[in-house]
Amino acid sequence: MTACLLACGIEPEKTILFQQSLVPLHSELAWILGCLCSVPRLQRLPQWKEKKSSVKEPSVGLLTYPILQAADILLYKSTLVPVGEDQTQHIELTRDLARAFNRLHGTVFPECKMLSGEVPKIRSLRNPTSKMSKSEANSKSRIDLLDSPEVILEKCRKAVTDFTSEISYDPEGRPGVSNLIEIHMAMADLTEDEIVEESFLLAEDTGMYKMRLAGIIAESLAPVRERVIAYRKDPDFLTDVLKEGAAKASLIAEETMEDVRRLVGFR
């Protein structure tokens, strides 16, 4: 993951990149925030509803994970959080927990806002009604950064679309094709209208478009893939990046927790 983030352009000199488990204050703040949240509120969140259906006995950790996510944000007094639209309710939970703490104990946390990209959600290649996820069991549902051009082509060819041959953008009526267009938009910095017009001029059907899109994705990801491979050859460098980031993050986190402990009464 560290190699992938660096390969995508994250610069350790400008960004604090660290492994969450190296900063235990995340868990401490999560416990305090958990005392401000009800069980029914957590049970209404989409992640719980989705995940519990696939687990025989869902754990407390799964239920309270959104509170840990809130702690990840609030521990650093973050104001802008770059996430997809599927995280909207989790961000709202974070805002509610910040308000609750500030109201009960004293003002510490700012209210964060979502920072969405032009394509707020990339959907599964196999089920365009759900998001593309690395935790999905079916690897053909997603494009991985380390996928070879051949694997990308196979995944695009197998992507779920519909029985209409021409290319058109209609997220409600044609979610599969529209998802491919949104991936294309993200990769090529084009609008949906430009992509549809280009496809029309090329007289493409869905199958032809999938093959062309696979080439575009492979070409866009090739430099990233090469950099990931290079970074993975130097694991000591990656470890040092995480350790240095954790040291910087701990300084910020400790300052926040000093205020939290004092106001809650732990000091």
Side-chain angles (χ1 to χ4, degrees):
M1 178 59 75
T2 305
C4 287
L5 290 170
L6 295 177
C8 287
I10 297 296
E11 300 179 43
E13 301 81 13
K14 300 179 180 179
T15 305
I16 300 176
L17 179 61
F18 66 101
Q19 187 175 337
Q20 183 212 48
S21 57
L22 296 180
V23 184
L25 297 178
H26 288 252
S27 300
E28 183 179 350
L29 180 57
W31 172 259
I32 294 170
L33 296 176
C35 297
L36 303 173
C37 186
S38 70
V39 171
R41 174 68 192 278
L42 294 175
Q43 290 174 327
R44 289 195 295 268
L45 292 173
Q47 176 179 289
W48 171 253
K49 293 179 180 179
E50 176 186 346
K51 298 292 185 182
K52 74 171 185 177
S53 62
S54 60
V55 180
K56 185 177 180 180
E57 295 183 358
S59 68
V60 173
L62 179 62
L63 177 65
T64 60
Y65 186 69
I67 297 177
L68 182 61
Q69 288 182 308
D72 295 342
I73 296 167
L74 296 178
L75 190 57
Y76 303 97
K77 300 183 179 180
S78 304
T79 54
L80 293 174
V81 186
V83 290
E85 65 178 15
D86 60 296
Q87 294 295 316
T88 300
Q89 291 191 46
H90 290 164
I91 295 298
E92 194 54 48
L93 173 67
T94 302
R95 290 163 57 86
D96 289 345
L97 291 173
R99 294 189 196 108
F101 185 95
N102 293 343
R103 183 176 63 252
L104 290 172
H105 301 294
T107 301
V108 172
F109 303 116
E111 290 190 20
C112 62
K113 296 180 180 179
M114 286 180 59
L115 183 63
S116 299
E118 292 183 6
V119 182
K121 185 175 183 178
I122 298 296
R123 303 176 189 278
S124 166
L125 297 178
R126 302 301 298 161
N127 179 13
T129 61
S130 64
K131 71 174 183 178
M132 184 180 289
S133 172
K134 64 181 183 295
S135 60
E136 168 61 45
N138 186 352
S139 63
K140 289 185 172 59
S141 67
R142 62 184 176 271
I143 302 293
D144 291 315
L145 292 180
L146 292 179
D147 283 346
S148 67
E150 294 76 19
V151 170
I152 292 173
L153 175 59
E154 181 65 15
K155 288 180 177 181
C156 287
R157 286 178 57 196
K158 294 292 182 64
V160 171
T161 51
D162 52 45
F163 297 107
T164 303
S165 60
E166 71 266 14
I167 304 303
S168 62
Y169 186 72
D170 179 6
E172 293 297 324
R174 305 189 68 194
V177 172
S178 298
N179 182 46
L180 297 180
I181 291 174
E182 289 175 354
I183 294 172
H184 192 165
M185 290 165 57
M187 290 290 175
D189 195 24
L190 296 171
T191 67
E192 61 267 27
D193 290 338
E194 289 172 330
I195 291 170
V196 171
E197 181 179 3
E198 184 180 43
S199 182
F200 175 77
L201 293 175
L202 292 172
E204 287 179 321
D205 60 22
T206 305
M208 296 165 61
Y209 176 67
K210 287 179 177 180
M211 296 183 67
R212 183 165 69 90
L213 176 61
I216 292 169
I217 295 172
E219 182 179 359
S220 298
L221 293 184
V224 175
R225 183 169 177 261
E226 291 173 5
R227 288 194 292 269
V228 171
I229 294 171
Y231 278 124
R232 290 176 67 176
K233 292 179 180 178
D234 191 355
D236 290 340
F237 170 74
L238 298 177
T239 300
D240 288 343
V241 167
L242 294 179
K243 287 183 177 179
E244 291 173 11
K248 294 176 183 177
S250 294
L251 293 175
I252 302 171
E254 185 58 50
E255 185 176 325
T256 300
M257 286 308 299
E258 281 295 320
D259 289 338
V260 170
R261 296 181 189 120
R262 175 177 52 80
L263 291 170
V264 171
F266 289 176
R267 285 285 187 269

